[in-house]
């Protein structure tokens, strides 16, 4: 089921590839230390017409935390320069399948833009099907953009600490199980190990099929329930630095749950402050 507001298939994108108001973004991002270069990957092969969305640059660079959501005026400026604006249908993909693309889907949603979808299976599925790629950047013409920031879709550390204390939200952590329990150290130096007290653990990979596509809505719902998440409560999603938390938020949107938000600072912030409590072991 193709939904231009959440998830579209490679067949859908191929059928709409030459629509004048379609804009495609390569939103690839890799973990520091992975040895992978997202921009180099884009330069060597991307879906025809795709622009590169730099998650680290299109961020709030005034913050010491990694790739925090940019101020609306910076988002507008960067999108206009990339020729992305009002009236466009945006499709976002990444080079890993589904990893960082939902983060940029969330950013567009945060800015009040709803005609935005993630490509199911991303570039790997597109290439595996023998579809066309190119290595030249598109011609970009400035396009006017207006935004209306949706504050309900993001949470800061104070709001998350309040929710953890009151237990009136479900906090769901997308990190790997051993990072959640504190059994393995964090990849970012200087961070404590463990999780936000009261949080549940749903590693983002459990929402994906073996080929990197999203699981069905029924299976997504089952994954949240198996992780002990009470879907009658509002949900705050978290992870290491706010990237894979967006996969959880994206999955909640797909299953029709609208009262979700994303903790932008995630563990990069919570794990840094010694005055915030940390839990270890199972949820």
């Amino acid at each position: 089921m193709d939904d231009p507001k959440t998830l579209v298939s490679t067949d859908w994108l191929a059928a709409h590839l030459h629509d004048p108001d379609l804009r495609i973004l390569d939103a690839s991002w890799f973990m520091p230390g992975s040895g992978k270069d997202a921009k180099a990957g884009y330069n060597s092969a991307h879906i025809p017409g795709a622009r590169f969305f730099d998650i680290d640059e299109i961020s709030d660079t005034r913050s010491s935390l990694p790739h925090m959501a940019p101020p609306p005026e910076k988002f507008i400026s960067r999108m206009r320069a990339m020729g992305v604006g009002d009236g466009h249908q945006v499709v976002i993909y990444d080079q890993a399948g589904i990893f960082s693309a939902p983060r940029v889907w969330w950013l567009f949603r945060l800015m009040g833009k709803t005609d935005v979808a993630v490509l199911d299976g991303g570039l790997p599925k597109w290439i595996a099907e023998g579809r066309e790629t190119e290595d030249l950047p598109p011609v970009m013409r400035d396009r006017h953009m207006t935004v209306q920031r949706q504050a309900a879709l993001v949470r800061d550390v104070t709001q998350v600490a309040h929710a953890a204390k009151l237990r009136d939200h479900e906090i769901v952590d997308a990190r790997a199980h051993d990072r959640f329990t504190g059994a393995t150290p964090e990849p970012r130096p200087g961070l404590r190990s463990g999780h936000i007290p009261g949080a549940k653990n749903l590693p983002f990979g459990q929402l994906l099929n073996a080929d990197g596509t999203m699981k069905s809505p029924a299976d997504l719902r089952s994954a949240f329930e198996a992780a002990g998440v009470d879907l009658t409560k509002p949900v705050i999603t978290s992870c290491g630095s706010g990237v894979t938390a967006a996969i959880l938020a994206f999955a909640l949107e797909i299953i029709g749950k609208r009262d979700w938000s994303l903790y932008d600072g995630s563990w990069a912030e919570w794990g840094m402050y010694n005055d915030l409590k940390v839990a270890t072991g199972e949820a």
Side-chain angles (χ1 to χ4, degrees):
M1 290 291 292
D2 293 304
D3 178 5
K5 295 184 185 298
T6 51
L7 188 69
V8 296
S9 64
T10 49
D11 284 342
W12 186 96
L13 182 57
H16 293 271
L17 197 59
H18 301 294
D19 288 4
D21 283 329
L22 179 76
R23 293 294 180 269
I24 306 169
L25 302 179
D26 180 332
S28 300
W29 177 89
F30 297 105
M31 287 287 291
S34 69
K36 296 179 180 177
D37 184 330
K39 185 64 184 294
Y42 167 83
N43 288 337
S44 65
H46 54 261
I47 294 173
R51 290 102 160 109
F52 182 71
F53 188 108
D54 188 332
I55 285 176
D56 285 325
E57 198 284 321
I58 306 174
S59 69
D60 186 356
T61 47
R62 301 167 302 181
S63 173
S64 61
L65 296 167
H67 44 250
M68 294 288 279
E73 57 273 15
K74 182 174 184 178
F75 183 82
I76 291 170
S77 170
R78 296 296 188 272
M79 290 307 95
R80 286 189 65 163
M82 289 165 62
V84 179
D86 295 342
H88 283 151
Q89 169 67 50
V90 177
V91 174
I92 306 161
Y93 73 88
D94 64 59
Q95 297 161 27
I98 290 183
F99 180 64
S100 53
R103 168 72 187 189
V104 176
W105 172 88
W106 170 77
L107 273 179
F108 272 85
R109 282 295 184 98
L110 181 65
M111 300 298 171
K113 314 306 280 187
T114 57
D115 292 330
V116 53
V118 169
L119 179 65
D120 202 12
L123 188 65
K125 188 169 191 289
W126 183 268
I127 289 175
E129 293 168 348
R131 301 185 191 273
E132 178 187 3
T133 61
E134 61 185 18
D135 58 8
L136 295 174
V139 175
M140 294 183 276
R141 297 179 178 87
D142 191 292
R143 176 82 168 232
H144 180 72
M145 175 178 268
T146 53
V147 306
Q148 190 168 6
R149 192 173 184 273
Q150 306 296 305
L153 297 185
V154 66
R155 290 290 179 268
D156 64 22
V157 66
T158 305
Q159 292 168 313
V160 176
H162 193 66
K165 184 178 180 181
L166 293 180
R167 302 291 169 101
D168 58 350
H169 288 64
E170 288 282 39
I171 300 170
V172 190
D173 190 325
R175 292 176 301 155
H177 182 254
D178 284 353
R179 287 175 65 189
F180 178 84
T181 62
T184 57
E186 282 296 300
R188 287 184 174 82
L191 299 182
R192 298 170 296 166
S193 296
H195 59 266
I196 299 168
K200 307 290 172 55
N201 185 211
L202 179 51
F204 72 90
Q206 294 182 17
L207 302 177
L208 305 176
N209 294 310
D211 64 355
T213 56
M214 291 293 291
K215 289 184 176 179
S216 69
D219 287 344
L220 293 176
R221 182 175 290 275
S222 295
F224 280 97
E225 291 171 348
V229 178
D230 181 353
L231 290 172
T232 67
K233 290 182 177 180
V235 176
I236 298 170
T237 68
S238 182
C239 61
S241 65
V243 174
T244 60
I247 302 175
L248 302 188
F250 184 63
L252 290 167
E253 184 72 17
I254 287 173
I255 66 173
K257 183 164 178 62
R258 303 287 184 256
D259 53 347
W260 57 261
S261 56
L262 184 147
Y263 174 24
D264 201 10
S266 281
W267 199 254
E269 182 174 40
W270 193 281
M272 181 173 59
Y273 291 118
N274 289 326
D275 54 339
L276 294 171
K277 291 181 180 178
V278 166
T280 55
E282 300 295 333

